[in-house]
Amino acid sequence: MFTTVLASTHLGNFIIATAAFLVLFLLIRLFAWKNITGIFDQRAQKIAHELDQTEKALQSAEIFANQRETELKGVKAEADKIIEGATLVGADNKKAIIKAAHQEAAEIKERARLDADKAREDAIESVQKDVAQMAVDLAEKILKEELTPERKVALIDQYLDRLGDK
């Protein structure tokens, strides 16, 4: 008997709890279900919206990064061109400077050679005149006669001709 009462108490409690749950579920379904699902729907929409905005921001950031990378490559290429141009200009300037220096050195060398040749010719001419004058003076002393200027010139020319043959 006690088991039947206990079994019926359990069954009664189960039925009451089930009925209370169903009534509570029905009341929630009638009055609060739309609000609860609305809150969940709003939350889901908010999360979806934030995900969309995050994705757009990420795409925008990728586009911006690609643009910056492209600009950086362009600037690097331009810098490389400038450096290459400066290197070529520097090499050309170096060649021009070296060429000018060689030309100037050749000109200085030629002028020095011409100056040396002229100095040598002047020295030879001066020595020839001095030697010729000495020869005339010596001949004058030997002959003990005074030579006329025409005779002096003739002797000098004759002596110079002999010196040139040697």
Side-chain angles (χ1 to χ4, degrees):
M1 168 152 137
F2 182 68
T3 52
T4 46
V5 173
L6 190 57
S8 66
T9 313
H10 282 305
L11 184 60
N13 284 342
F14 178 73
I15 293 174
I16 291 174
T18 303
F21 177 76
L22 289 175
V23 169
L24 184 60
F25 182 73
L26 184 61
L27 289 174
I28 288 175
R29 180 82 171 142
L30 287 176
F31 297 111
W33 190 257
K34 288 184 183 179
N35 290 338
I36 292 172
T37 57
I39 290 171
F40 287 137
D41 288 342
Q42 286 175 352
R43 181 72 177 150
Q45 287 176 354
K46 182 179 178 187
I47 290 172
H49 178 69
E50 287 176 358
L51 285 174
D52 288 343
Q53 289 208 339
T54 303
E55 188 174 328
K56 286 179 185 177
L58 181 60
Q59 289 173 350
S60 176
E62 285 180 20
I63 290 170
F64 184 72
N66 289 338
Q67 287 174 344
R68 291 299 172 240
E69 186 175 331
T70 303
E71 290 174 3
L72 183 62
K73 286 179 183 176
V75 168
K76 186 178 183 298
E78 187 176 332
D80 289 343
K81 285 180 185 177
I82 290 171
I83 289 171
E84 184 179 338
T87 303
L88 292 175
V89 168
D92 290 345
N93 287 345
K94 177 183 174 184
K95 288 178 185 177
I97 290 170
I98 290 173
K99 184 177 178 181
H102 284 298
Q103 287 176 344
E104 188 175 341
E107 289 172 3
I108 290 171
K109 212 171 167 183
E110 182 63 21
R111 274 185 270 147
R113 187 188 63 76
L114 291 174
D115 289 346
D117 287 348
K118 180 150 176 39
R120 184 172 41 89
E121 288 173 7
D122 289 347
I124 288 173
E125 187 178 319
S126 175
V127 167
Q128 285 176 346
K129 286 181 184 178
D130 289 345
V131 169
Q133 185 62 41
M134 285 191 308
V136 168
D137 290 343
L138 184 62
E140 206 173 69
K141 284 183 185 179
I142 291 176
L143 296 175
K144 292 202 180 185
E145 64 181 65
E146 180 109 4
L147 296 176
T148 64
E150 293 83 23
R151 179 76 181 132
K152 284 183 184 180
V153 170
L155 282 173
I156 289 172
D157 287 341
Q158 183 184 6
Y159 184 73
L160 288 176
D161 286 339
R162 279 191 276 159
L163 278 179
D165 292 339
K166 293 181 181 182

